[in-house]
């Protein structure tokens, strides 16, 4: 808010979105910045303790952080409230990234350095050029809702579906280790034969790689 009030407000254009953070919702500089953003045609989102703060009233949308007891011995320094604000900001960024279809290739281009850059490049190479990039139309709607207690960002996830295992193909009465019977050809699979479709090398992997 300080830089916005000292010249940076000139870069704001209609259609921009500003996120203003104030736990008390009464900080004079933040309230003044909110008025300036709206005068320039921007929409404002407030991250503040509740809907009843002055900042919530000054913005188009309020995402309440909730009431938190601070952790210092005077119970006044921003500690618990600061951690809650950071977590909420990360949650908003993750949901926005998913809804905009921000894929691994884009991450690799934007973050080529460090261990994360190497990991992203490696995953892009493993996927190959034929892998389609995720788009906004292919994403499920996230279950966004907010109230006085805070913001819920968990999408409505359905039950996980796994393929049902088929019945065993081993014929009854065949002795262990037998390679055949007198009445007909052997039903024992040859060495190296795949046991079933779940071992197909062409099938996609369902394992999710953990990221940082």
């Amino acid at each position: 808010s300080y830089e916005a009030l000292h010249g940076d407000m000139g870069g704001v254009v209609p259609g921009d979105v500003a996120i203003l953070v104030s736990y008390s919702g009464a900080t004079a500089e933040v309230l003044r910045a909110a008025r300036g953003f709206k005068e320039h045609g921007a929409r404002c989102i407030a991250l503040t303790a509740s809907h009843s703060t002055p900042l919530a009233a000054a913005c188009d949308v309020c995402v309440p952080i909730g009431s938190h007891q601070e952790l210092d011995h005077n119970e006044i320094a921003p500690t618990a409230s600061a951690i809650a604000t950071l977590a909420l900001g990360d949650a908003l960024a993750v949901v926005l990234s998913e809804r905009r279809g921000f894929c691994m290739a884009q991450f690799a281009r934007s973050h080529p350095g460090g261990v994360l850059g190497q990991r992203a490049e490696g995953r892009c190479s493993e996927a190959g050029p034929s892998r389609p990039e995720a788009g906004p139309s292919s994403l499920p709607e996230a279950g966004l809702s907010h109230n006085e207690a805070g913001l819920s960002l968990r999408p409505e996830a359905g039950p996980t579906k796994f393929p049902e295992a088929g019945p065993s193909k081993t014929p009854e009465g065949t002795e262990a280790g037998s390679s055949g019977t007198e009445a007909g050809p052997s039903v024992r699979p040859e060495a190296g034969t795949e046991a079933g479709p779940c071992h197909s090398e062409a099938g996609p992997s369902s394992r999710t790689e953990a990221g940082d």
Side-chain angles (χ1 to χ4, degrees), residues 102-188:
F102 189 75
C103 65
M104 186 61 66
Q106 291 171 302
F107 185 97
R109 287 195 298 267
S110 302
H111 196 307
V115 175
L116 287 180
Q118 295 174 3
R119 186 180 300 172
E121 288 287 351
R123 290 174 64 176
C124 288
S125 299
E126 291 174 2
S130 61
R131 182 179 182 181
E133 294 185 0
S137 61
S138 65
L139 295 172
E141 289 296 324
L144 291 173
S145 62
H146 61 82
N147 48 42
E148 291 294 336
L151 178 70
S152 173
L153 295 171
R154 178 172 294 178
E156 297 296 332
T160 304
K161 297 181 179 180
F162 296 96
E164 295 183 359
S168 174
K169 301 298 183 180
T170 304
E172 295 182 1
T174 302
E175 296 181 1
S178 174
S179 61
T181 62
E182 297 180 0
S186 170
V187 295
R188 182 179 180 182

